[in-house]
């Protein structure tokens, strides 16, 4: 009996495979081929669905201005500088002609900053002189980003849904007491820009989302209460004093030129270790393995951003950089875990009441507060949670007496410095629902929005004469009618920096004591060139001439 004829291709396949034609083989092979065709058809449907979704999104984004693309394939990748004035497709503001060059990933991490250096920041200022609200940029042919540079356009993003009863976000000082969850849910942080930090920082406040972020924020907020921060003033004084003693040795009674970025960074890390772990590493005099690892991790994350093939974990962790990153993570995690486990063991041995009694007269550090923290159900933070928060605080932190209210002008100067040179120049959010802007335009669901802190701080419609250093912009006796989102050195919305009071207190102490003990002047032989990375750095340091002042009587 002849086997039934099925799909012609099945007979050809059996012939190619050298197999005898049988009914079973024909039926089996036909079934496999039909399954494969069905699978390919489903893939085709999904691809067409994605194409349709992309087309709809593209149509909805046409109302936003954009500079001329480098090409249809590269989009705005590699754009370097902007001149003249042009018009985006359907947009009201244009950016003019652009020349290309540099790394393809430049625009991916600095979409409005072009080159990640002094030239790029100057080019961005030229853009802001012409475009004051929002700009559309394309990473390749399919990834659109919206860059926001005006507080009125940032407000709908950071107060996206008003789920906690606030259709408009309250002043930043009030956010911890009346925690909004709208922006955290509707516009969470985007993994594309923060994912490389995950193996190092884990699910700390910087990277966690949803209910976990909300729970941790509630538990950590008491750690930054004024009563907890007040004893840290002694640590700030002590660490600043160590830095100043080193300066006096280097100056030998006369004037010496020093890189402030190097010295102040080490002083900050020294004080952070003491405030977080109650640990004295003496890192200002001799670099410790832990501090070296923290510094190296920051550099490796930045380097990875600029190498496209390193974005793939499988490739990255087989490179020398990937192996060094793993080793540095292990060093940081081992140190933090060891401190936490020793402290938790002591807490369990003594009990909370006796343990706190033993702490009387001593500074309650960050780890202590986290070990004692309990949520509304009485649950404590795990060792892994505490490690993530401690590592996050050490990373973000690297970004004259107790009565600091007696330093009003110092505070004005610090605020104006943070306006001109914000530590973090850019934050990203992915919209999980449509967001309406003040002019009626809509940011479609799924779009990544980049809030340019640097761009907002230098927007001439928000800050007239933005290049001019003018501390009196923040004079409380002469208040300006500005949105709270016009000034965001510690980010904005409910996900703003929880340690901003800590940072401001440390800066006030360090600046005040430095001006009390030293005469400072700019070293004109060394030009300062800004370099935006994870934080805003100086390309070759910030060099000042330091001259010790005679001790006051």
């Amino acid at each position: 009996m002849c086997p039934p004829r099925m799909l012609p291709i099945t007979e050809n396949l059996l012939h190619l495979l050298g197999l005898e034609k049988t009914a079973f083989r024909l039926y089996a092979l036909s079934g496999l081929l039909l399954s494969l065709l069905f699978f390919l058809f489903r893939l085709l449907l999904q691809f067409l669905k994605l194409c349709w979704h992309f087309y709809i999104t593209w149509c909805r984004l046409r109302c936003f201005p954009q500079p001329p693309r480098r090409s249809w394939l590269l989009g705005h990748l590699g754009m370097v500088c902007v001149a003249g004035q042009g018009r985006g497709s359907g947009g009201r503001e244009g950016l003019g002609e652009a020349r290309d060059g540099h790394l393809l990933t430049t625009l991916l991490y600095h979409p409005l900053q072009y080159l990640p250096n002094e030239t790029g920041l100057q080019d961005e200022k030229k853009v802001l002189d012409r475009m004051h609200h929002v700009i559309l940029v394309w990473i390749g042919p399919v990834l659109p980003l919206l860059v926001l540079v005006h507080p009125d356009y940032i407000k709908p993003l950071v107060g996206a849904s008003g789920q906690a009863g606030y259709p408009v976000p309250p002043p930043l000082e009030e956010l911890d007491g009346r925690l909004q969850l709208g922006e955290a849910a509707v516009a969470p942080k985007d993994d594309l820009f923060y994912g490389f930090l995950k193996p190092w920082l884990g699910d700390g406040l910087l990277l966690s989302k949803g209910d976990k972020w909300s729970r941790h924020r509630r538990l950590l907020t008491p750690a930054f209460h004024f009563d907890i921060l007040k004893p840290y003033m002694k640590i700030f004084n002590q660490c600043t004093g160590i830095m100043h003693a080193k300066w006096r040795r280097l100056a030998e009674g006369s004037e010496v030129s020093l890189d402030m970025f190097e010295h102040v960074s080490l002083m900050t890390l020294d004080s952070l270790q003491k405030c977080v772990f109650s640990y004295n590493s003496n890192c200002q005099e001799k670099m410790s393995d832990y501090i070296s690892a923290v510094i190296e991790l920051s550099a490796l994350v930045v380097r990875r951003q600029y190498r496209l093939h390193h974005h793939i974990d499988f490739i990255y962790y087989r490179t020398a950089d990937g192996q060094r990153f793993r080793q540095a993570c292990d060093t940081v995690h081992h140190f933090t875990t060891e401190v936490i486990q020793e402290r938790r063991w002591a807490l369990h041995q003594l009990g909370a009441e006796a343990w706190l009694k033993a702490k009387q007269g001593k500074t309650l550090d960050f780890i202590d507060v986290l070990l004692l923290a309990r949520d509304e159900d009485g649950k404590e933070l795990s060792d892994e949670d505490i490690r993530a928060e401690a590592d996050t605080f050490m990373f973000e932190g690297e970004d004259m007496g107790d009565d600091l209210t007696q330093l009003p002008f110092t505070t004005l100067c610090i605020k104006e410095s943070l306006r001109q040179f914000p530590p973090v120049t850019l934050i990203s959010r992915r919209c999980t629902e449509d967001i309406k802007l003040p002019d009626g335009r809509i940011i479609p669901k799924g779009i990544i929005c980049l809030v340019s802190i640097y761009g907002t701080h230098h927007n001439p419609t928000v800050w007239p004469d933005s290049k001019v250093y003018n501390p009196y912009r923040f004079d409380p006796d002469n208040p300006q009618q500005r949105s709270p989102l016009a000034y965001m050195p510690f980010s904005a919305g409910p996900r703003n920096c929880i340690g901003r009071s800590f940072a401001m207190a440390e800066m006030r102490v360090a600046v005040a004591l430095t001006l009390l003990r030293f005469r400072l002047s700019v070293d004109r032989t060394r030009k300062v060139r800004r370099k935006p990375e994870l934080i805003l750095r100086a390309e070759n340091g910030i060099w000042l001439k330091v001259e010790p002042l005679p001790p006051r009587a």
Side-chain angles (χ1 to χ4, degrees), residues 232 235-236 238-239 265-284 286-292 294 331-332 335-336 339 343 365-367 390-391 393-395 397-398 502 506:
Y232 291 166
I235 295 176
F236 298 156
Q238 179 192 22
C239 294
S265 294
L266 286 175
M267 183 274 290
T268 303
L269 288 168
D270 187 20
S271 66
L272 282 170
Q273 271 201 298
K274 290 170 181 172
C275 293
V276 174
F277 304 112
S278 295
Y279 182 80
N280 182 11
S281 66
N282 198 32
C283 66
Q284 294 197 67
K286 183 181 178 182
M287 191 72 72
S288 69
D289 290 342
Y290 175 81
I291 296 298
S292 296
V294 170
T331 300
V332 169
F335 174 84
T336 309
V339 172
R343 205 77 61 83
D365 65 30
F366 191 60
I367 298 293
D391 290 342
F393 193 52
M394 287 297 299
F395 162 68
E398 180 196 17
F502 179 97
E506 184 172 25

Side-chain angles (χ1 to χ4, degrees), residues 204-224:
L205 273 184
L206 181 66
L207 302 179
S208 59
K209 301 174 183 177
D211 292 339
K212 184 169 188 177
W213 173 83
S214 303
R215 176 175 179 263
H216 281 213
R217 181 81 183 204
R218 289 195 302 272
L219 289 174
L220 265 65
T221 295
F224 296 94

Side-chain angles (χ1 to χ4, degrees), residues 79 85-86 152 172 182 184 204 287 437 479 494 497:
M79 306 293 277
Q85 187 171 2
D152 292 345
L172 299 186
M287 191 72 72
L437 295 176
C497 177

